[in-house]
Amino acid sequence: MSTIPEVTLNNGIRMPQLGFGVYQVPEDETHGVVASALEAGYRSIDTAALYRNEAGTGRALAESGIPREELFVTTKLWNTDQGHDAALKAFDTSLEKLGLDHVDLYLIHWPLPARDLYVETWRALEKIHAEGRARAIGVSNFQPAHLRRLREESDIVPAVNQIELHPRLQQRELREFDAGLGVATEAWSPLGRGNGVLVDPVVTGIAEKHGRSPAQVVLRWHIQLGNVVIPKSATPARIRENIDVFGFELDDEDLASMGTLETGARVGPDPDTFN
């Protein structure tokens, strides 16, 4: 089983650099998929209220026999629950579905700038953190302007910013901005979800050179950039393959080649306009 490196968040909490995402895993399949991931060696599991599979995730965690302190569980607040009191209520619901007394990381899923509730919502997350019910709090899909407001108008700097990040959308400026604030960058859709990255000749060429799969090359690229990464798969063989990325290293030439794949194309919404 692979030994997964950890990153130390800005409040001292340690988070596995590679975790397992359950986006678009149906609730009735989630238990089995998460169980497969835990068996393969993943200890960080990323879900969200939106995914409607927190209960299945929680059952798999409970039945795994893995001590709670060895697990890192993330969930997220959905857009309809922004606002101070609504966020507190939504968190209680997520915790109940997961069957836990705390999560390791709780995120605001989107900033929704036109609604202008994310600062008020963040104060609810600060309360949850102060109560010890979330060991760390963070955001998802936040741009520099949104992060600046949180820094200026609240007490806690987010521990994590989970953003769309893959070789077609490398987010260099946002990663640098996060780092300047001490915020860890976490990549969602790390493999590009159908945007052709895994069949790109650059990636397949590097994969052939190292005797690895294209997905392993892309995940290794993330790891070497310092990103936290949460690949998702429902296939046991791919689940195992995606965690096996610590026995090789991309060289400078490989990294330079990966840098040429940037197109700026998103597979998800633009955080500045999504509401």
Side-chain angles (χ1 to χ4, degrees):
M1 186 160 36
S2 302
T3 300
I4 299 174
E6 295 179 319
V7 298
T8 301
L9 304 179
N10 58 20
N11 65 350
I13 298 298
R14 296 180 67 80
M15 177 181 189
Q17 193 178 0
L18 187 146
F20 185 76
V22 296
Y23 175 63
Q24 288 186 331
V25 178
E27 168 68 10
D28 60 352
E29 297 176 22
T30 303
H31 177 277
V33 169
V34 173
S36 292
L38 294 170
E39 186 178 347
Y42 295 86
R43 291 296 178 265
S44 176
I45 306 295
D46 179 279
T47 183
L50 172 70
Y51 307 165
R52 301 184 186 280
N53 55 22
E54 290 169 310
T57 298
R59 282 197 303 276
L61 296 172
E63 293 174 16
S64 70
I66 299 168
R68 177 65 182 91
E69 61 270 18
E70 294 180 17
L71 296 167
F72 193 99
V73 182
T74 300
T75 193
K76 310 178 197 78
L77 175 83
W78 185 235
N79 301 341
T80 50
D81 295 312
Q82 283 212 23
H84 186 275
D85 293 348
L88 293 176
K89 184 177 178 182
F91 178 76
D92 288 341
T93 299
S94 286
L95 216 53
E96 184 177 353
K97 287 182 177 178
L98 286 163
L100 300 175
D101 62 5
H102 72 279
V103 295
D104 299 280
L105 180 63
Y106 193 48
L107 306 177
I108 299 176
H109 211 145
W110 289 89
L112 311 179
R115 299 192 199 179
D116 195 23
L117 287 172
Y118 65 84
V119 175
E120 176 188 331
T121 303
W122 183 248
R123 294 196 180 107
L125 267 65
E126 289 182 322
K127 182 176 190 295
I128 290 165
H129 179 259
E131 293 169 347
R133 298 196 298 151
R135 296 173 67 226
I137 53 175
V139 295
S140 185
N141 302 300
F142 273 47
Q143 301 280 60
H146 313 138
L147 291 166
R148 276 192 209 99
R149 272 199 69 193
L150 289 188
R151 183 183 60 184
E152 292 165 2
E153 299 180 32
S154 61
D155 297 324
I156 298 177
V157 174
V160 170
N161 187 16
Q162 186 185 114
I163 58 174
E164 180 183 346
L165 205 172
H166 45 73
R168 301 282 192 225
L169 186 72
Q170 300 190 12
Q171 300 269 32
R172 290 182 183 92
E173 290 182 8
L174 183 48
R175 285 191 285 118
E176 288 175 7
F177 190 87
D178 285 348
L181 287 180
V183 178
T185 298
E186 182 174 19
W188 65 259
S189 195
L191 301 175
R193 206 167 73 215
N195 67 2
V197 164
L198 299 183
V199 295
D200 190 286
V202 168
V203 176
T204 58
I206 296 171
E208 187 175 347
K209 169 181 167 181
H210 290 279
R212 295 285 181 153
S213 72
Q216 286 175 318
V217 165
V218 174
L219 294 173
R220 183 69 209 177
W221 171 77
H222 281 286
I223 295 293
Q224 289 184 221
L225 287 182
N227 302 332
V228 178
V229 63
I230 45 168
K232 169 253 173 176
S233 176
T235 308
R238 288 205 185 118
I239 290 171
R240 291 191 297 271
E241 177 184 284
N242 288 345
I243 200 174
D244 184 19
V245 294
F246 302 104
F248 75 108
E249 193 161 321
L250 304 183
D251 60 31
D252 290 345
E253 182 183 359
D254 299 332
L255 294 172
S257 297
M258 293 293 290
T260 68
L261 299 176
E262 170 74 54
T263 65
R266 294 181 178 275
V267 298
D270 184 335
D272 285 319
T273 56
F274 181 60
N275 282 288

